[in-house]
Amino acid sequence: MRSANYASALVCAMALAMACTTLAQNSPEAFVNAHNSARAAVGVGPVSWDPVVAAYAQIYANRHIGDCLLVHSGGPYGENLFWGSNANFTAADAVKTWVGEKQYYNYDRNSCTGNRYCGHYTQVVWRDSTAIGCARVRCDTGATFIICNYRPVGNIVGKRPY
């Protein structure tokens, strides 16, 4: 009986640890840290978490639980969207995907190269954006939808991100 209780307690502890790890991987700190790592790489100051911007992101993410469509909100903030075909994608995965566009950004020309898109990257490192709020939901399809909003908005035509 004692070993059964121990095994049961161990299973509960492992499940709790996995849940905490998943929550930590998608916490405000995880989003902020991933952004600030990319920003530091180009000498841009850090962003901080803004609960008002985060609430906006969460409301919008909740609207897409049923369809997981990558459609921009058209709201008052800068915005990056991420979609992944399973539920295991994290804050770091989304930011890494956006920052992966860095290879297509030509700083001297202040444009993307080779008909590639780099606007997610430039929003992540936009010097004037100092606050973020992000949300992650699992869609009914089992996919992951992640949104990050930025205040003030970035990607202003004619301005450099940094």
Side-chain angles (χ1 to χ4, degrees), residues 60 70-72 79-83 98 120 145-148:
Y60 192 72
L70 290 179
V71 177
H72 285 284
E79 186 168 274
N80 280 341
L81 301 175
F82 172 91
W83 174 89
W98 300 327
H120 299 106
F145 180 92
I146 296 175
I147 178 174
C148 283

Side-chain angles (χ1 to χ4, degrees), residues 40-118:
V42 293
V44 176
V47 291
S48 60
W49 189 258
D50 183 321
V52 172
V53 178
Y56 178 88
Q58 189 65 61
I59 290 167
Y60 192 72
N62 289 345
R63 289 184 190 155
H64 286 281
I65 289 174
D67 59 28
C68 222
L69 293 177
L70 290 179
V71 177
H72 285 284
S73 70
Y77 305 112
E79 186 168 274
N80 280 341
L81 301 175
F82 172 91
W83 174 89
S85 62
N86 69 52
N88 297 322
F89 289 103
T90 65
D93 294 324
V95 178
K96 180 179 178 183
T97 299
W98 300 327
V99 173
E101 296 175 358
K102 179 179 184 175
Q103 63 186 314
Y104 307 122
Y105 179 64
N106 182 314
Y107 184 83
D108 293 333
R109 292 187 179 158
N110 192 30
S111 65
C112 305
T113 60
N115 294 322
R116 302 292 229 151
Y117 189 75
C118 61

Side-chain angles (χ1 to χ4, degrees), residues 18-34:
M18 287 178 11
C20 289
T21 299
T22 299
L23 290 175
Q25 291 174 336
N26 299 300
S27 67
E29 293 79 18
F31 282 105
V32 167
N33 291 342

